């Protein structure tokens, strides 16, 4: 080997740099453990401890020192599936941004285009592009984007003029939308930084308007979702008094009686609220019919929903049950009902529910300006802080700027004279509605009080200080992982890694003897380089459970190159070459290098496609695979070679085998082409059966592809999944749900699509509450809502993982999956055409890969109802399919390289089929060995890797087995059958001269 000294120098430098980079992770983890021990489960205390040592030197290398903050930035971070916490993707509403830019235009063409874009947006298409297409279709050239009815207005003054073309306006709109998303990103960043979690991560996802937020260790799930989704749209409205609108509500109720189904006869249930004095509205509710019995009078559709009418002079008109608010909204939003309002600037709003009476809420009628907008908005707030009101209850105090202070003085003066109230509205919800009894309030000081907890006032002050979002941001995808589940994943990952490393190393020593030890040293260096590379990533690398799976897989692939080299060296030794010449030939391009490069290029191509189209943990899996490919090539080719060359220099014998294994997998003379009709028939039957199963049996599609909510719930005793399913699928809960045993009989995986189209924190909390109410009876001991939902340290019952995927995200994932699989097959086959210079090789490879993909899909379609573990078609499954494509190509390339070598030389005699059979037989040792190491590693991960990745590993396990079969019995026969008889005759003539 030339330049030994230089290569040795780089190998040592790379290893030392990797150890140096990894040292930061070891130090940071040690400090994090000390912080947890100090905090004893208190997250705030843990964060305070870490903040206190942020600028303290914690690592001294003699020549330089590092503070804790510097060390933390350089460590390998654990993903949420290992650390626990919450991961959400927020979709900033581009529709709302466009409405704002158009100054809330009422143009029907514009609004139809907005609605059409929402309905027709395709997977991976941005809403903005969908809007442009919809606007073009709706306007049909009759309306321009630069029209004064659309985007030529005061909001875009100076950016858009009447003479601009639609294409010119599109450029401006893209810029404005990007600015709004950037603004939302900044607001969310500020909110999260003040929330108090260790190492939060927030990043924009391309140009989609989506923002990823990761909060490791976060526990209060409902609180976090409220914090993230609140737009902080603060408004100050005057209210109408109850007696001002009594006649309207009577008229509305009478109108509804004529159009709605006869309402239930009932009496207002006031047990949950305090009794009130009789008011005008209450009088209006009284049925004066002499023969009406108490509790049986027909109150009408609207009045029958009222729990309690408002008192005279009260800021709200009535109290309703929370579950009836949607129905009441539908009544009050009807055009014919709104036409009965005596004023045009009225707006209905609901009050914030109280923890003491969570089932009830007040209905307010707000008084806007002549344009129907609030007289004062939150843009005037310059400071907000959590405090306590005059009664000692948590509140939020606010200070306004001079303009806001003047307007505030005017509004409070009006309210003081009129005797009504000021409704303080945040995100369309009335938080409080105080009256003003002592005249106008000057100075711009105001306060929000009500039924708050201390945490709520802290969060409210936080979002008001950070500012409002430019548009609503809804959670379209989320994942919650409990710390106990994260620790379990770490334990499973470490166990499977150690066992995999041990068994692969043991096999290499048993099969290759001393050369196997050299391969093991190379493997150990390879692992150091992988972790060193991950630790060197700018911004920090995030290690996930699929990432660990990628590392364990790398152990199998790392020895593949050594196996190919060693098998080639053995062949050269059998031909009578010296050890030195055999090693030179084996490491040469015509020896093992061409096969190694071809095989690894196919791996790199599939890994890149997986990286491009994958997201989250799957991207981490792809990253570790790609890193492992390059480090494996370096260590297999150079590290092991050092020791082999040293043996040559010292005159030591090296057999690349042991006495027991030296004749294993040799002397094969199997006629693979003779039985091609049998293999064709078998594979055809498998493909037909699989396709029939696709049609009739379908797949167990995960929520990644269809959207929905999944909860992994642990119980304190074994439960019957059918009983749980029956409860959850009732009309009172989710109407439709699935419940399956996950791992052991005291753990279930629950899936539902309940209200998945509604993406807001209120619905998410409703789902959590319904789940808790339905499942609490299945526990032997009483469990509170907080214990059930929140991810507290040491938690071992309740929801340990929750995932939500909205329909739009699911459509994107499905589109990405489709293109990833098709793209991987096409790109790899294109490479084979270039590399092998014959399209027949590519046809053989594509036939084998298509066969393998259909086979794996068929197994999942046929068996998902019967296997004791989950076999969902989700992102992890697609990652497995792409990995299978890569390894199937790997096996096929190894065989094809030998076929090309035998067909291209003149040293092998006989018929065309005999030459091909001989080439296949000589590769059996390397083909079976590489496949067996992979199968061994995957089998270990399948057994010890944990329930969450078992289905993912099973797909790869089946794929590797069937990929080995197809490379021998499908790919090569297809190659042979597609080569013309003239070419075969020409090759035979060259080989039998």
């Amino acid at each position: 080997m030339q330049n030994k000294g230089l290569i040795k120098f780089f190998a040592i430098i790379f290893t030392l740099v990797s150890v140096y980079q990894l040292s930061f992770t070891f130090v940071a983890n040690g400090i994090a453990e000390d912080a947890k021990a100090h905090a004893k489960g208190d997250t705030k205390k843990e964060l305070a401890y870490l903040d206190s040592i942020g600028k303290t030197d914690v690592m001294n290398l003699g020549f330089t020192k590092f503070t804790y903050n510097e060390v933390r930035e350089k460590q390998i971070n654990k993903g949420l599936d290992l650390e626990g916490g919450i991961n959400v993707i927020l979709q900033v509403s581009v529709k709302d941004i466009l409405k704002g830019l158009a100054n809330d235009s009422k143009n029907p063409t514009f609004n139809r285009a907005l609605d059409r874009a929402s309905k027709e947006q395709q997977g991976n298409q941005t809403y903005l592009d969908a809007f442009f297409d919809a606007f073009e279709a709706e306007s049909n050239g009759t309306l321009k984007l630069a029209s004064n009815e659309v985007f030529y207005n005061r909001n875009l003054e100076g950016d858009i003029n009447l003479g601009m073309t639609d294409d010119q306006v599109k450029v401006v709109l893209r810029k404005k939308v990007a600015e709004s998303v950037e603004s939302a990103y900044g607001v969310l960043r500020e909110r999260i930084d003040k929330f108090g979690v260790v190492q939060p991560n927030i990043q924009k996802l391309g140009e989609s308007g989506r923002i990823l937020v990761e909060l490791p260790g976060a526990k209060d799930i409902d609180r976090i979702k409220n914090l993230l989704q609140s737009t902080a749209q603060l408004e100050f409205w005057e209210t109408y008094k109850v007696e001002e609108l009594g006649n309207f509500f009577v008229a509305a109720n009478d109108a509804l009686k004529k159009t709605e189904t006869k309402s239930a006869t009932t009496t207002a249930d006031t047990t949950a609220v305090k009794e009130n004095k009789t008011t005008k509205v209450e009088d209006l509710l009284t049925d004066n019919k002499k023969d009406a019995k108490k509790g049986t009078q027909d109150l009408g559709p609207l009045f029958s929903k009222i729990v309690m009418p408002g008192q005279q002079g009260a800021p709200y008109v009535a109290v309703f049950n929370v579950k009836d608010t949607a129905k009441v909204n539908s009544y009050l939003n009807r055009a014919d009902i709104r036409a009965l309002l005596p004023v045009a600037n009225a707006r209905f709003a609901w009050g914030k529910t109280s923890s003491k009476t969570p089932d009830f809420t007040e209905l307010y009628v707000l008084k806007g300006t002549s344009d129907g907008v609030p007289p004062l908005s939150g843009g005037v707030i310059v400071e907000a802080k959590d405090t306590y009101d005059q009664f000692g209850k948590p509140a939020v105090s606010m200070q306004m700027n001079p303009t806001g202070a003047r307007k505030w003085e005017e509004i409070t003066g009006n309210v003081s004279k009129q005797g009504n109230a000021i409704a303080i509205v945040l995100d369309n919800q009335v938080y409080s509605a105080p009256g003003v009894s002592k005249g106008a309030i000057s100075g711009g000081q105001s306060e929000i009080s009500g039924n708050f907890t201390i945490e709520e006032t802290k969060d409210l002050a936080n979002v008001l200080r950070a500012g409002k979002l430019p548009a609503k941001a809804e959670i379209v995808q989320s994942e919650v992982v409990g710390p106990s589940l994260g620790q379990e994943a770490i334990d499973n990952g470490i166990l499977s890694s150690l066992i995999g490393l041990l068994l692969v190393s043991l096999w290499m020593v048993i099969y290759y003897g001393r050369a196997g030890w050299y391969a093991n040293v190379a493997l150990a260096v390879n692992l150091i380089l992988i972790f060193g590379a991950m630790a060197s990533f700018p911004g920090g690398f995030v290690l996930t459970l699929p990432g660990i799976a990628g590392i364990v897989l790398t152990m199998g692939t790392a020895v593949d190159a050594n196996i190919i080299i060693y098998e080639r060296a053995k062949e050269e030794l059998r031909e009578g070459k010296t050890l030195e010449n055999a090693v030179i030939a084996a490491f040469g391009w015509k020896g093992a290098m061409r096969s190694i490069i071809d095989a690894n290029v196919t791996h790199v191509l599939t890994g890149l496609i997986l990286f491009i189209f994958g997201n989250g943990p799957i991207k981490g899996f792809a990253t570790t695979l790609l890193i492992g490919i390059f480090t494996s090539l370096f260590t297999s080719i150079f590290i092991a070679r050092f020791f082999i060359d040293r043996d040559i220099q010292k005159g030591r014998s090296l057999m690349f085998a042991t006495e027991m294994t030296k004749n294993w997998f040799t002397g094969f003379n199997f006629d693979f082409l003779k039985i091609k009709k049998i293999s064709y028939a078998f594979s055809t039957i498998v493909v037909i059966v699989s396709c029939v199963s696709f049609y009739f049996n379908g797949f167990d599609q995960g929520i990644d592809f269809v959207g929905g909510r999944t909860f992994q719930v642990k119980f304190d005793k074994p439960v019957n999944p059918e009983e749980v399913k029956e409860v959850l699928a009732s009309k009172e809960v989710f109407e439709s749900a699935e419940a399956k045993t996950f791992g052991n009989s005291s753990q279930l995986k629950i899936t539902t699509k309940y209200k998945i189209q509604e993406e807001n924190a209120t619905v998410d909390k409703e789902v959590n509450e319904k789940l808790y109410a339905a499942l609490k009876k299945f526990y032997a001991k009483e469990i509170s809502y907080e214990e059930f939902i929140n991810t507290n340290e040491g938690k071992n019952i309740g929801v340990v993982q929750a995932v939500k995927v909205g329909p739009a995200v699911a459509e994107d994932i499905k589109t990405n999956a489709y293109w990833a699989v098709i793209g991987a097959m096409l790109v790899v086959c294109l490479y084979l055409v270039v590399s092998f210079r014959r399209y027949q090789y590519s046809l053989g490879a594509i036939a084998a890969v298509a066969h393998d993909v259909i086979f794996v899909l068929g197994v999942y379609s046929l068996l998902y109802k019967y296997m004791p573990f989950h076999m969902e078609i989700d992102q992890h499954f697609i990652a497995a399919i792409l990995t299978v494509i890569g390894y199937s190509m790997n096996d096929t390339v190894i065989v094809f390289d030998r076929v090309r070598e035998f067909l291209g030389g003149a040293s092998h005699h006989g018929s065309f089929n005999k030459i091909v059979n001989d080439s296949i037989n000589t590769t059996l040792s390397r083909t079976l060995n590489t496949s067996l190491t992979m199968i061994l590693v995957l089998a270990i991960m399948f057994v010890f890797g944990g329930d969450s990745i078992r289905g993912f590993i099973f797909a790869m396990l089946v794929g590797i087995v069937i990929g080995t079969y197809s490379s021998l019995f499908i790919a090569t026969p297809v190659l042979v059958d597609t080569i013309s008889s003239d070419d075969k005759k020409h090759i035979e003539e060259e080989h039998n001269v």
Side-chain angles (χ1 to χ4, degrees), residues 247-261:
N247 291 332
F248 159 73
F249 280 98
V250 172
N253 192 50
D254 290 341
L256 289 167
K257 284 181 180 180
K258 300 174 183 177
T259 60
E260 298 296 313
T261 305

Side-chain angles (χ1 to χ4, degrees), residues 277-491:
K277 296 177 181 178
T278 303
T279 68
K280 273 191 172 182
V281 174
E282 191 174 26
D283 289 337
L284 293 167
L285 288 172
T286 304
D287 191 334
N288 293 319
K289 291 181 180 179
K290 302 293 184 182
D291 59 344
K293 296 180 180 180
K294 185 180 179 181
T296 60
Q297 60 266 40
D298 180 13
L299 300 178
L302 182 59
F303 284 179
S304 65
K305 302 292 183 186
I306 294 178
V307 174
M308 184 185 72
Q311 300 178 25
Q312 186 169 0
Y316 59 87
V317 295
V319 176
F320 291 83
N321 199 306
V322 170
K323 66 181 178 63
D324 292 329
T325 54
K327 193 64 176 176
V328 174
N329 284 339
S330 70
Y331 291 157
L332 298 179
N333 287 332
R334 276 175 40 174
D336 59 323
I337 301 300
R338 288 197 65 84
L340 300 173
L341 279 166
V343 288
N345 62 346
R347 174 178 160 187
F348 299 103
W350 295 101
K352 182 180 180 294
T353 57
S354 163
S355 58
K356 294 181 180 178
T357 55
D359 296 329
F360 302 96
T361 183
E362 303 89 2
L363 176 66
Y364 293 83
V365 185
L366 310 179
K367 184 188 297 184
T369 65
S370 58
D371 295 330
V373 298
L376 189 62
S377 70
V380 300
I381 302 297
V382 293
E383 180 56 46
K385 61 182 179 179
D386 54 297
T387 183
Y388 294 90
D389 64 15
Q390 58 183 330
F391 303 108
K393 294 181 179 180
V396 175
S397 66
M398 299 174 293
Q399 179 62 49
M400 301 177 184
N401 61 23
T403 301
R406 287 193 295 271
K407 188 65 177 175
W408 179 247
E409 185 174 2
E410 178 187 330
I411 295 171
T412 52
N414 291 339
V415 168
S416 177
K417 294 174 184 177
Q418 297 165 4
N420 56 343
I422 298 176
I424 301 177
V425 182
L426 182 69
D427 294 340
N428 299 317
Q429 193 173 42
V430 179
Y431 273 62
S432 61
V436 181
S437 57
K438 298 180 181 179
I441 301 173
S442 60
Q445 185 74 30
S446 61
E447 183 179 83
I448 305 177
S449 59
N451 299 301
F452 291 115
T453 63
I454 294 175
E455 287 77 15
E456 285 175 330
T457 56
K458 288 183 180 296
D459 289 346
L460 181 53
N462 179 4
V463 298
L464 291 176
R465 283 195 302 270
K468 71 174 183 178
L469 289 170
K472 64 183 179 184
E474 296 175 334
I475 293 176
V476 293
Q477 183 176 348
S478 67
E479 181 175 10
V480 178
V481 181
S484 61
L485 192 65
Q487 187 58 50
E488 182 182 327
I490 293 173
D491 295 341

